[in-house]
Amino acid sequence: MKNLRKLLAVLMAGLMILFVAGCGGGSGSSGSGSGSGAPKAASNGKKVGVAMPTQSSQRWIQDGANMKQKLEALGYTVDLQYAEDDVQAQVSQLENMITNGANCLVVASIDSSALVNVLAQAKQQNIPVVAYDRLLMDTDSVSYYATFDNKGVGVEIGKYIETKLGLKEGKGPYNIEFFAGSPDDNNAHFLNDGVFEVLKPYLDKGQLVVPSGQTDFNTICTLRWSQETAQKRMEDIISGYYTDGKKLDVVVSPFDGISYGIAAALQGAGYQVGQNWPLITGQDAELMATKNILSGKQSMTIFKDTRLLADKCVTMVQAVLEGKQPEINDTKSYNNHKVVVPSYLCTPVPVDKDNVQKVLIDSGYYTKADVGL
Ligand code: BGC
C-alpha cells in the first residue's frame, strides 16, 4: 500500500513536470505548429499585411488565400491586397498597411525595384518585411525570402526539351523560339539563365536553330508576363519567319499564361494539335494549363506548390515577429544589389501528361473532376 502511494506520488510529480514543461514549450516555441492554442497566444493579435501582384493568374489567388488562411489560423489579423499589376497601386497599398499599424509585411512585388522608398518607411518603423516568391531588389529593408528555386525552374524546362528531343543523343536540328518573363521580375532572369544553361550547348552545336534569331533577354522578355503581349510576339514570329512552311518544333514559355498566348497565335495561324503543333512549355500548373497538357495543347508545366510556399513564408513571419530564426536553406543565391537575402527555396516539379495524376491529383492539389480525368 505504502509502495503504491509512493508510486502514485512519483507519477503525479512526473505529470506535473511534463505539464509545466509543455506550457513553457507552448509559449516559447509556437513555431512548432502543433496544437492551435499556443501559436494564437504568441501572435498577440498582431497584424500582417500581405501584398500580392494580381488576380489575373490563378497562382497568385491561391498564394493570397493560402497565406491568409494559414496566418489567421495562428491568430494573426491579415490585410490581403492585390494591386492588379499596377505598381503605384501596390505602393499605396503598402503605405496604407504601414499607416494602419501592420507589424509585418509580406510582399510579392510587381516591379521588384519600385518599392525601395515604401520599404524604407517600413524599416524606419521597425516593420519587418518578408519577400514572397519574387525578390525585393535594391533594398536592405527585407529580412527573408521564401521562393522556389527559380533557376531550377528554367533548368527543368531546359532538361525536358533536352530529353524529349533526344538532344543528348545528338538528334536535330530542331527549330525553337524563346519567350522569357517580365524584365522587372528577378525570377524571369533566373529562370531564363536556367533554360539557356541547359540549351545553349545545343544552340552552339546547331542541334537547335532559332529562325527568328531572337535569343537575347531584352528581345524575348514579356513585360508583366502578359498573355496578350506574348500572343502578339508569337504572331509576328510566325508571319515573319515561318511562312515558307518551315516547321516550328519547340516554343519555350516561362509561364502558363504566356503559353496560352502562344497557343492562341498558333491556332490563329492554322496550326493543329497532333499535326504540326510544337512542344510548348510553361510554369505554375494552372488548371487550364493542366487541362491543356491532357489535351496535347501544352506539353509540360512546372508545378510550384503554393501550399508549401505559404507554409515556409508563414514560419518566416512568425520568426521575425518573435525574434527567432526561421528555417532557411540558401544564403548565397539572392543578392538584391544591397544585401544577400537569407532564403528558403522550395523545389519545382516538372509535370506532363505522364505524371499529372501522381503530382497534381495524388497530392490533393486538384481533383480528377477539376482536370476532367
Ligand atoms: C513567378 C511565377 C509566375 C510569374 C507570373 C513569377 O514571379 O515566380 O510562378 O508564373 O511570376 O505570374
Side-chain angles (χ1 to χ4, degrees):
M1 189 64 187
K2 228 181 182 180
N3 280 348
L4 188 64
R5 231 181 275 145
K6 247 190 199 164
L7 186 66
L8 276 175
V10 170
L11 277 174
M12 283 299 287
L15 278 175
M16 284 294 285
I17 289 168
L18 277 178
F19 180 70
V20 171
C23 291
S27 60
S29 64
S30 57
S32 69
S34 59
S36 54
K40 264 193 187 160
S43 74
N44 249 343
K46 286 186 175 149
K47 284 190 195 167
V48 182
V50 179
M52 288 280 152
T54 174
Q55 295 182 87
S56 67
S57 117
Q58 183 197 327
R59 74 150 292 182
W60 299 114
I61 298 174
Q62 282 167 340
D63 287 282
N66 289 336
M67 283 300 294
K68 186 165 159 59
Q69 181 243 316
K70 285 173 200 283
L71 286 167
E72 284 178 350
L74 295 177
Y76 295 104
T77 303
V78 178
D79 180 6
L80 169 64
Q81 298 291 335
Y82 285 89
E84 305 317 336
D85 274 341
D86 177 338
V87 178
Q88 268 321 304
Q90 187 163 59
V91 171
S92 305
Q93 288 173 347
L94 287 164
E95 281 168 354
N96 286 339
M97 287 171 188
I98 295 171
T99 311
N100 293 336
N103 299 99
C104 178
L105 298 176
V106 173
V107 185
S109 60
I110 297 163
D111 177 332
S112 325
S113 300
L115 303 177
V116 174
N117 293 339
V118 70
L119 295 179
Q121 283 174 41
K123 189 176 182 186
Q124 245 171 15
Q125 303 196 28
N126 292 321
I127 303 169
V129 175
V130 177
Y132 186 94
D133 194 82
R134 297 174 172 174
L135 186 58
L136 293 161
M137 303 302 286
D138 308 312
T139 176
D140 63 356
S141 315
V142 51
S143 306
Y144 292 104
Y145 179 34
T147 191
F148 282 83
D149 176 355
N150 292 297
K151 185 171 176 200
V153 173
V155 167
E156 290 297 347
I157 289 175
K159 286 205 300 205
Y160 187 85
I161 293 167
E162 182 183 53
T163 307
K164 287 291 157 185
L165 265 48
L167 296 173
K168 268 193 191 157
E169 292 75 50
K171 291 197 182 148
Y174 296 102
N175 292 331
I176 186 168
E177 297 295 339
F178 291 91
F179 284 71
S182 195
D184 53 8
D185 181 347
N186 190 55
N187 290 355
H189 299 269
F190 272 59
L191 188 158
N192 199 56
D193 289 350
V195 168
F196 276 89
E197 183 175 289
V198 180
L199 298 185
K200 184 161 184 306
Y202 302 111
L203 290 162
D204 292 344
K205 281 190 256 178
Q207 283 175 263
L208 292 177
V209 177
V210 188
S212 73
Q214 300 174 8
T215 53
D216 172 57
F217 182 86
N218 292 325
T219 316
I220 65 173
C221 67
T222 317
L223 186 64
R224 301 281 122 78
W225 305 81
S226 152
Q227 175 173 337
E228 293 72 28
T229 306
Q231 177 169 346
K232 172 82 180 57
R233 183 166 162 257
M234 189 72 233
E235 284 165 0
D236 290 348
I237 290 176
I238 294 169
S239 60
Y241 305 94
Y242 289 86
T243 41
D244 57 356
K246 191 175 284 163
K247 186 159 186 283
L248 173 58
D249 297 297
V250 185
V251 186
V252 174
S253 161
F255 164 47
D256 290 340
I258 289 180
S259 318
Y260 309 149
I262 292 165
L266 289 166
Q267 241 162 357
Y271 284 76
Q272 282 183 12
V273 175
Q275 291 180 21
N276 53 355
W277 199 258
L279 185 164
I280 303 175
T281 65
Q283 173 181 213
D284 285 351
E286 288 193 354
L287 185 56
M288 198 201 296
T290 308
K291 288 181 178 170
N292 287 348
I293 286 174
L294 293 173
S295 74
K297 206 170 170 185
Q298 189 170 320
S299 308
M300 62 89 73
T301 187
I302 300 286
F303 174 48
K304 295 160 76 172
D305 193 335
T306 50
R307 299 167 299 187
L308 178 65
L309 184 61
D311 278 340
K312 293 299 170 190
C313 188
V314 165
T315 63
M316 289 175 173
V317 171
Q318 272 194 308
V320 288
L321 287 175
E322 293 172 17
K324 295 188 187 129
Q325 294 288 323
E327 185 188 359
I328 50 172
N329 62 8
D330 186 290
T331 51
K332 286 200 285 280
S333 308
Y334 289 98
N335 183 334
N336 75 355
H337 306 147
K338 287 275 184 215
V339 282
V340 178
V341 186
S343 307
Y344 189 95
L345 311 189
C346 305
T347 307
V349 182
V351 181
D352 71 359
K353 62 177 181 328
D354 296 336
N355 66 353
V356 164
Q357 171 75 40
K358 183 163 166 274
V359 178
L360 298 178
I361 311 292
D362 295 352
S363 71
Y365 201 71
Y366 293 133
T367 63
K368 277 190 166 193
D370 286 337
V371 303
L373 269 175

